[in-house]
Amino acid sequence: MECVDTSALRAAIVEFLDAERAAGVYEPRSDSWMRSFDRDFSRRLGERGWLGVTWPREYGGREQSHVARLTITEELLRGGAPVASHWIGERQIGPAILRYGSDALKAEFLPSIAAGELTFCLGMSESESGSDLAAVRTTATLDGEDFVVEGTKIWTTNAHHSQYAYVLACTDREADKGARLSEMIVDMDDPQVEVRPILDLAGEHHFNEVAFDGVRVPAGRVIGEVGNGWAQVTAQLAFERGGPERFLSTYPLLGALAEAVADDPRAAPAIGGLLARLRALRALAWSVAMLMDAGEAPIAQAAILKMMGTRFEQDVVEAARALVPGEPDPTDAGLLGMVAGAQLAMPGISLRGGATEILSGIVARTIKAG
Ligand SMILES: Cc1cc2nc3c(=O)[nH]c(=O)nc-3n(C[C@H](O)[C@H](O)[C@H](O)COP(=O)(O)OP(=O)(O)OC[C@H]3O[C@@H](n4cnc5c(N)ncnc54)[C@H](O)[C@@H]3O)c2cc1C
């Protein structure tokens, strides 16, 4: 593993972001990893070697640590940068392919993800199976050399921008959850895929419903073993839940708020409390990254980080509502607009990536099992 000077890396990213902002490429915003889409920006990150840094060089990576990757993701999120194009692919589909995929899948997808060229969406949730992922009803039936995929996914973030979908499907209806699911990659430009937009509370389009109507997926596009999807997706969720986006999504708001109330002594306890919690969350994220560097899938630690992180993000919004005079206003270009945007995103924060109650169950079961 290549040793990286994380302070120099952090400084280089901050300098890059300052230049991008000065060139008018983006305005910082909360929740940018889901809402700010700019493929050219992702390509520029890829050119600088800041995507897929933990992956082997032969697949476009840099063989650096998860701690180096955390340094990059922290700064991108703190800067509210437009990272949605590569986020899902780089965060969890690439690592899933690397861990379980065939050499052919690795060669086909990893270099393009690391170059910032590819957008993936996550086809896990369905209308009757969000928390209970094991109950997905989308089927993939083997027919000759292909699986034929039938079913509908929902809440599929940025499916309308994606070239590929990761799909969790049932490949054996008779089997129990340990053997009934498989993970596969589906081409989004297949004519049998239909993407239907869903607007969120703020009236923005990032969610979709995605229907697969007899899409033929070559068997070689299955990630890992057919029937091993449950074990694989559980490990993948550690990547989904254990990153700094679970507590830094509202950082642009926290930064602007701290600046706005810096001279108000009555605000100090609230801001100080939030910053202390932020420090603890960062320490937890670093320990998750170090466990990943040690080759582990820290499922319980990632669940704890997400639970505590999303609660923190919600408290940032509550603090902003209490401390900023005036009504939150989505049309406002300043702080009141940022508060309104974050407030409208708030209900989804604790649901996406696994609801808090479900995460509590994972933590309790893991601790009980020792
Ligand atoms: C902003 C956002 C982005 C998302 N993006 C994606 C995406 O890209 N791809 C994707 O596949 N999905 C995505 N999702 C869906 C997300 O993963 C699901 O919303 C989540 O898993 C919860 O599932 P559900 O909505 O079906 O709620 P349900 O599972 O119906 O849960 C509703 C409530 O019941 C509680 N509950 C359910 N079961 C239990 C239980 N056993 N014990 C205690 N309480 C329980 C839950 O905690 C929750 O509060 C996204 C969601 C949001 C909000």
Side-chain angles (χ1 to χ4, degrees), residues 158-290:
N158 288 326
H160 53 306
H161 291 306
S162 299
Q163 295 110 319
Y164 296 98
Y166 155 96
V167 173
L168 184 66
C170 171
T171 37
D172 183 348
R173 273 173 257 205
E174 308 303 319
D176 66 13
K177 78 174 176 187
R180 74 184 285 272
L181 301 175
S182 302
E183 300 180 300
M184 56 194 68
I185 296 171
V186 178
D187 278 22
M188 289 298 282
D189 63 5
D190 189 296
Q192 300 310 113
V193 177
E194 189 188 348
V195 178
R196 306 172 191 133
I198 301 173
L199 299 188
D200 73 1
L201 266 183
E204 290 183 21
H205 175 204
H206 51 88
F207 284 140
N208 299 276
E209 185 178 70
V210 183
F212 302 96
D213 181 15
V215 183
R216 298 192 74 86
V217 178
R221 285 280 172 91
V222 170
I223 304 174
E225 298 291 317
V226 172
N228 196 37
W230 180 250
Q232 293 178 195
V233 75
T234 313
Q236 188 196 124
L237 289 173
F239 288 97
E240 179 171 354
R241 293 170 178 156
E245 64 270 44
R246 302 307 176 182
F247 56 91
L248 288 178
S249 296
T250 51
Y251 188 89
L253 172 62
L254 178 59
L257 175 67
E259 222 173 286
V261 299
D263 296 329
D264 180 356
R266 287 167 308 163
I271 300 294
L274 288 171
L275 294 181
R277 285 167 67 191
L278 179 59
R279 201 176 171 94
L281 286 162
R282 286 190 67 206
L284 189 50
W286 281 71
S287 74
V288 167
M290 285 191 285

Side-chain angles (χ1 to χ4, degrees), residues 201 314 341-352:
L201 266 183
Q314 290 171 333
Q343 192 177 347
L344 289 169
M346 213 166 69
I349 281 179
S350 60
L351 276 174
R352 64 183 176 196

